[in-house]
Amino acid sequence: MTTAAIVLLGLFALLMLLGTPLGVALGLAGAAVILMQDLGEMAIPTSLYTGIAKYPLLAIPLFILAGTIFERAGVAARLVRFVSILIGSWRGSLGVVAVLVAMVMGGISGSGPADAAAVATVMLPAMTRAGYPPAFSASIIAAAGATAILIPPSVAFIIYSVLVPQATVPALFAAGLFPGILAGLALILPIVFIARRYGFGGRREDEEKIGVLRAAREAIWGLLAPVIILGGMRAGLFTPTEAAVAAVTYGLLVGLFIHRSLTLRDLGNVFMEAAEMSAVVLLIIGLASIFAWAGSTLGAFDVLAQSIVSLEAPPWMVLILINLLLMGAGMFLDAVSIYLILLPLLMPLVTAYQWDPVWFGVVMTMNLAVGQFTPPLAVNLMVTCAVAGVPIEKTVRWVIWLVLAMLSALVLVAIFPSIALWLPRSLGY
């Protein structure tokens, strides 16, 4: 590896150790090496601009806005009521409801933390009244919210497709559906077992008694959202980016005119919240593009990949090592950051071992989904613990079983790629 490449990676590591924000560390390391190697100072703003001036990235702020609108419109509360009536009242039933509602909401927002926040706000009070310890409830909702980055539309898959052009957004969305459902179903087993083992939940006499038809009528607008978004893409009515516009429009119609839970005055706060979240994501992507351009120009990532391939380890061993790396990174960094840092290194390995980039994207994203609720720095768990008012360390005894459950789903997808690839191939993607 060249001296410049060593400086690039070493400077980035040093800045991270000093506590520099991720985007700043990536941008500074890349800019410093560009200037050192006299690659042209205009490469810095050009890389920053080209990093975010990509059509698929338009969907990110729009899906974030759609998720915020649906959260404020009370869609989650109506879904909880409907699913609760269908599931019934028995030990562990509210945990199952939380998982199912999070999966449906994930089909609207595409963001794990946003999904977890929306479901936690509605579910935590009811679960506490039913006898669930707040730490257990926070663990369930954090894990269930992680399915949002697998079940389409997924913001994580959109970013992956920008960094890996061989994997299109429609193919990734289709590939993530069954693994996302599998991950959600895997969570239900330990939830029900723990609830019955410790006697959590049961009949809820304090719940309002309404009929199934009324509950379905109230929840139908939320249930239709994923159908409209995904069905419209499949029917060719709109692209994934246009689907995000359709989701925002649909959410505004539901919130303003059907549920009437949103007012024009509320929209200012909704737009501001979505804009802040979107700006953070896109700024990190832009700064990371400077780092990625410098690394690719210097050949740093290809050299690292070739050194791993030269070890002549069997592909399954390399895949295990990659998964362990991703799991470790997922415990400390968010999904977007891990994509931006590790994909330049990992994609040469994917090419060398002739792995399907769509399948690899699903496996990688499942790892990052597990990381969203694995302490110590699990972003979903931080959100739900804040809502529940419990320290994150109290969740460890509960969340470890949910981590193992989702890892079992990950192992199945890694061993049997057809779980992810059957649907996109059947649809011709």
Side-chain angles (χ1 to χ4, degrees), residues 4-93:
I6 295 173
V7 171
L8 174 69
L9 299 175
L11 183 56
F12 168 69
L14 176 61
L15 289 170
M16 289 296 291
L17 289 173
L18 293 175
T20 308
L22 174 69
V24 176
L26 288 167
L28 283 178
V33 172
I34 287 173
L35 296 175
M36 284 173 51
Q37 294 298 112
D38 198 23
L39 298 177
E41 61 271 11
M42 286 306 296
I44 298 173
T46 301
S47 299
L48 175 65
Y49 173 75
T50 56
I52 58 176
K54 293 172 180 171
Y55 181 71
L57 289 181
L58 284 173
I60 292 179
L62 291 168
F63 275 126
I64 290 175
L65 176 59
T68 306
I69 291 171
F70 275 97
E71 178 189 351
R72 297 290 183 88
V75 170
R78 290 170 172 83
L79 288 173
V80 166
R81 179 179 295 180
F82 175 57
V83 177
S84 295
I85 292 174
L86 291 181
I87 297 297
S89 299
W90 38 271
R91 299 209 181 276
S93 61

Side-chain angles (χ1 to χ4, degrees), residues 269-280:
N269 291 331
V270 169
F271 290 146
M272 187 179 301
E273 183 180 336
E276 289 175 354
M277 289 190 287
S278 303
V280 171

Side-chain angles (χ1 to χ4, degrees), residues 206-293:
D206 60 333
E207 295 295 322
E208 181 186 356
K209 304 295 183 182
I210 66 171
V212 175
L213 291 179
R214 177 184 163 188
R217 191 165 56 249
E218 292 179 351
I220 188 63
W221 301 105
L223 294 171
L224 282 176
V227 177
I228 292 172
I229 295 169
L230 302 178
M233 285 190 290
R234 177 55 192 157
L237 299 177
F238 35 69
T239 66
T241 304
E242 293 165 347
V245 179
V248 171
T249 305
Y250 180 74
L252 288 174
L253 291 174
V254 171
L256 291 172
F257 303 111
I258 297 175
H259 291 165
R260 297 184 180 179
S261 49
L262 280 177
T263 65
L264 293 177
R265 184 175 299 176
D266 295 328
L267 292 182
N269 291 331
V270 169
F271 290 146
M272 187 179 301
E273 183 180 336
E276 289 175 354
M277 289 190 287
S278 303
V280 171
V281 173
L282 293 174
L283 180 61
I284 294 174
I285 292 173
L287 291 171
S289 299
I290 301 173
F291 179 87
W293 186 87

Side-chain angles (χ1 to χ4, degrees), residues 317-335:
M317 184 178 295
V318 175
L319 185 60
I320 290 175
L321 292 175
I322 290 174
N323 277 279
L324 291 174
L325 171 64
L326 293 171
M327 286 173 55
M331 294 167 62
F332 297 96
L333 296 171
D334 62 276

Side-chain angles (χ1 to χ4, degrees), residues 100 122 158 239:
L100 296 178
V122 178
I158 294 172
T239 66

